[in-house]
Amino acid sequence: MNILLVEDDHLLARGTARLLQRLGGHHVYITMEPEVIFHHCAAGEVDLVIMDINLSGVYWQGQAVDGVDISRQLKERYHHLPILLVTAYALRTEQQSLLLNSQADGYFAKPITDYKSFLTTIAQLCQRSP
């Protein structure tokens, strides 16, 4: 399975990618550049997007954007593409609002410590996509 990991913390991105590769056997693209994200999705190169909500210093079409903005735009173009949000900052009460605003398919809190649940969530989301 090909996963696009959108994360602004390079160390965390590399660690998460290694986890997904070793335990899940997934191929992982890492980026935080909107142009690259939309390129991979338009080319049909990814089966799932894992999106950090807080992307500091990321701009798209001249405006600062975060993971919620990018997820919403991805869903408008590629409604079948599963998106899993991740963040360390959202309170449990904010999760539903984030999912509604982003149109994402799931949410996972960072730091990711329950690897089995993380991989199970990814597998379930990918099974739902065509």
Side-chain angles (χ1 to χ4, degrees):
M1 190 169 320
N2 295 320
I3 296 174
L4 180 61
L5 177 59
V6 181
E7 172 65 63
D8 63 346
D9 182 324
H10 299 289
L11 185 61
L12 183 57
R14 286 195 304 264
T16 302
R18 278 195 297 271
L19 168 78
L20 292 167
Q21 291 164 344
R22 287 184 184 162
L23 298 181
H26 303 295
H27 177 80
V28 181
Y29 302 100
I30 300 172
T31 189
M32 58 182 253
E33 300 297 327
E35 293 84 3
V36 177
I37 296 167
F38 285 97
H39 168 77
H40 282 297
C41 294
E45 297 172 342
V46 296
D47 303 300
L48 170 78
V49 176
I50 298 175
M51 178 77 64
D52 184 14
I53 292 173
N54 297 306
L55 299 172
S56 59
V58 174
Y59 290 84
W60 173 243
Q61 299 175 336
Q63 296 184 347
V65 292
D66 61 15
V68 173
D69 299 324
I70 295 172
S71 294
R72 189 174 37 249
Q73 292 184 40
L74 284 174
K75 278 297 191 179
E76 288 173 5
R77 297 180 191 187
Y78 314 104
H79 64 277
H80 64 282
L81 182 64
I83 300 174
L84 178 64
L85 297 178
V86 291
T87 188
Y89 302 110
L91 300 173
R92 183 173 294 268
T93 54
E94 296 174 308
Q95 293 174 9
Q96 190 64 31
S97 174
L98 287 170
L99 288 173
L100 287 172
N101 289 333
S102 67
Q103 302 176 21
D105 301 283
Y107 172 88
F108 220 89
K110 292 193 300 187
I112 297 167
T113 55
D114 185 351
Y115 304 130
K116 184 177 178 182
S117 292
F118 185 56
L119 293 171
T120 299
T121 299
I122 289 169
Q124 290 171 341
L125 289 175
C126 288
Q127 286 177 349
R128 291 184 356 202
S129 71

